[in-house]
Amino acid sequence: MLNEEICKVREKLNKSIEKNLDYRIIYKISVELDILIAKYYNETMIEI
């Protein structure tokens, strides 16, 4: 589930970059993606 959300936000980020949206919007999406990736790694490390 978290992996799917990461993919969706990554796609959203890529599209915003392609459309050359305002830097603040791109940055906000990038931070959102970073947070999701950190959560993913935290969950993965707990399982190990």
Side-chain angles (χ1 to χ4, degrees):
M1 182 176 121
L2 192 53
N3 196 20
E4 291 174 13
E5 193 171 350
I6 289 171
C7 290
K8 287 178 185 177
V9 175
R10 184 179 292 134
E11 183 64 29
K12 182 178 176 182
L13 176 61
N14 289 339
K15 287 182 181 180
S16 67
I17 292 169
E18 287 174 6
K19 293 179 181 179
N20 203 24
L21 295 182
D22 186 82
Y23 174 76
R24 291 172 289 188
I25 295 170
I26 294 171
Y27 180 77
K28 181 182 175 190
I29 298 169
S30 178
V31 169
E32 181 182 353
L33 181 58
D34 289 344
I35 291 168
L36 289 173
I37 291 170
K39 286 180 183 179
Y40 175 82
Y41 280 113
N42 282 333
E43 288 180 6
T44 302
M45 294 304 288
I46 291 171
E47 293 175 1
I48 294 176

